[in-house]
Amino acid sequence: MRKQAPKLSAKQAAVGYLSRRDHAEKELRQKLIMRGYSEPDVSEAIAFCQDYNWLDDARYAVMIMKNGIAKGWGWLRIEQEMHIKGIHHAIVSQTADECEIDWYELACEVAQRKFGASEMDTPKEKARRFRFMQSRGFDFDQIKSALNIEDEY
């Protein structure tokens, strides 16, 4: 059975997706191809959206950064999210360079919010907290600082 041709043009579909939320170029390209649009039509629609500044990977990367920080994610988790969405490595690096957040301070805030002032009295509890902070995307030094860990892990 043949797939039915899309009713909207690729440009209309792209604008429709972008009217609901921002997308990365790769993400939008995949959605349009999945809907059955040809590669030339998809490329033309993406170029059209970029010309009007409706599709901008740099702006999308900043949005992912802000959302990640608001969720209490560290840089490693935010960077992973950007790569999953298909943002080019150069844009990811540029976003990281322009970011003025203190990751150590954010790690402390996340740890305080999650664990409060409760004691880390067993190695099992220490490992649990460490894993939680790792899953949030903080690096080893940031976690040690946030959890006040003096010894080697």
Side-chain angles (χ1 to χ4, degrees):
M1 187 171 158
R2 273 183 56 183
K3 193 171 185 179
Q4 194 174 14
K7 290 182 171 73
L8 299 174
S9 72
K11 285 181 187 176
Q12 290 172 323
V15 170
Y17 281 129
L18 293 171
S19 69
R20 292 186 216 35
R21 71 168 180 87
D22 258 344
H23 288 71
E25 178 184 339
K26 180 181 175 185
E27 188 181 22
L28 184 60
R29 182 177 299 278
Q30 288 172 338
K31 282 187 175 186
L32 292 173
I33 289 173
M34 291 292 291
R35 282 198 52 191
Y37 295 104
S38 68
E39 186 61 44
D41 288 345
V42 170
S43 294
E44 183 183 334
I46 286 175
F48 173 78
C49 291
Q50 286 172 333
D51 288 346
Y52 283 95
N53 202 27
W54 296 333
L55 180 65
D56 183 358
D57 278 2
R59 182 181 65 227
Y60 189 56
V62 170
M63 185 191 75
I64 290 174
M65 170 78 74
K66 288 179 181 177
N67 288 343
I69 290 169
K71 292 177 181 178
W73 291 351
W75 171 246
L76 299 173
R77 176 68 174 88
I78 293 170
E79 183 182 32
Q80 178 187 32
E81 185 72 16
M82 288 183 189
H83 287 299
I84 289 170
K85 296 290 187 180
I87 296 173
H88 192 273
H89 182 71
I91 295 173
V92 173
S93 297
Q94 177 186 356
T95 305
D97 293 343
E98 293 173 357
C99 180
E100 296 180 6
I101 182 116
D102 182 352
W103 296 108
Y104 287 89
E105 186 179 319
L106 181 62
C108 287
E109 289 172 12
V110 169
Q112 180 64 33
R113 201 168 44 231
K114 176 71 175 175
F115 306 115
S118 63
E119 286 296 316
M120 215 175 6
D121 47 2
T122 65
K124 185 176 180 179
E125 178 63 18
K126 181 177 173 181
R128 184 182 77 83
R129 291 182 186 197
F130 204 90
R131 278 191 314 274
F132 171 79
M133 296 298 288
Q134 277 183 317
S135 74
R136 286 299 184 97
F138 294 103
D139 69 26
F140 184 74
D141 290 334
Q142 294 163 353
I143 295 169
K144 279 179 60 175
S145 174
L147 297 178
N148 294 319
I149 298 173
E150 305 298 324
D151 57 331
E152 288 297 315
Y153 195 76

